[in-house]
Amino acid sequence: MNDEPVLIRSKWGTSRYVYNHRSPAGLALIVLTPLLALGVLIGARAESTWSEGEFRDAVHAGVSRLDGGRHYTSPESDHGLLITEAIRESGIGPRYGVDTREEGAGSYTVSTEDTTTAFCARLTLTLDKEPPVVFPDSADLPPPAPDMLAFYVSHATVSNGPCA
């Protein structure tokens, strides 16, 4: 049995404690500490980037979450944020790094810097026939103008590859 302490005072003129390389436990800590730190860094990197499978699953889950959902928006606004938010709320992969680019006619190319794949999400909105009651016993509101906010039901689909 070795009676060497695990920690000793540094001989470099400071009052800090360092691992004692003459102690078996201290030597084990000298070897294991950098390996543990390296493992933590590799794990953090893996959790902060998208993999191909994670991205595919998140896009499909987000688009299925959007399909049939009710949104307070206008048809003229950019709905890429709705797609990005639905992907983020899917709970798959990192919560950031999704790029949605509008391609016109309700089509959005969804991609990320971490993967080489892209998906085409198509989003159409129809006016909600039974919007939630804002004020009880109020008269029905007239149909909104194209640039006015109203409740819309979304219909979303996704396909592999960027939008053409």
Side-chain angles (χ1 to χ4, degrees):
M1 186 81 171
N2 191 344
D3 291 337
E4 289 284 335
V6 176
L7 296 170
I8 58 172
R9 286 201 186 260
S10 172
K11 294 179 183 177
W12 291 91
T14 65
S15 61
R16 294 183 188 177
Y17 282 89
V18 295
Y19 294 134
N20 182 3
H21 66 280
R22 292 184 188 99
S23 166
L27 187 58
L29 288 172
I30 289 170
V31 172
L32 292 177
T33 301
L35 293 176
L36 179 66
L38 184 63
V40 167
L41 290 175
I42 290 171
R45 169 80 173 138
E47 290 296 317
S48 66
T49 58
W50 288 98
S51 70
E52 300 283 340
E54 279 180 333
F55 186 56
R56 180 190 62 246
D57 294 345
V59 169
H60 285 277
V63 169
S64 68
R65 181 186 194 97
L66 272 178
D67 193 33
R70 181 183 290 166
H71 308 284
Y72 189 66
T73 185
S74 74
E76 301 299 319
S77 36
D78 179 20
H79 298 107
L81 293 176
L82 288 175
I83 297 169
T84 302
E85 184 68 17
I87 292 170
R88 188 182 71 76
E89 289 177 356
S90 72
I92 302 170
R95 304 285 187 247
Y96 52 86
V98 176
D99 178 41
T100 54
R101 188 174 60 249
E102 186 173 10
E103 302 293 342
S107 297
Y108 296 86
T109 297
V110 182
S111 61
T112 182
E113 291 180 359
D114 300 331
T115 63
T116 58
T117 58
F119 296 93
C120 182
R122 289 183 174 79
L123 184 68
T124 57
L125 298 172
T126 56
L127 189 60
D128 192 357
K129 301 293 182 198
E130 297 178 19
V133 177
V134 179
F135 299 107
D137 300 327
S138 64
D140 289 338
L141 298 174
D147 58 341
M148 289 180 60
L149 294 174
F151 285 98
Y152 289 88
V153 176
S154 62
H155 304 283
T157 59
V158 64
S159 60
N160 291 334
C163 298

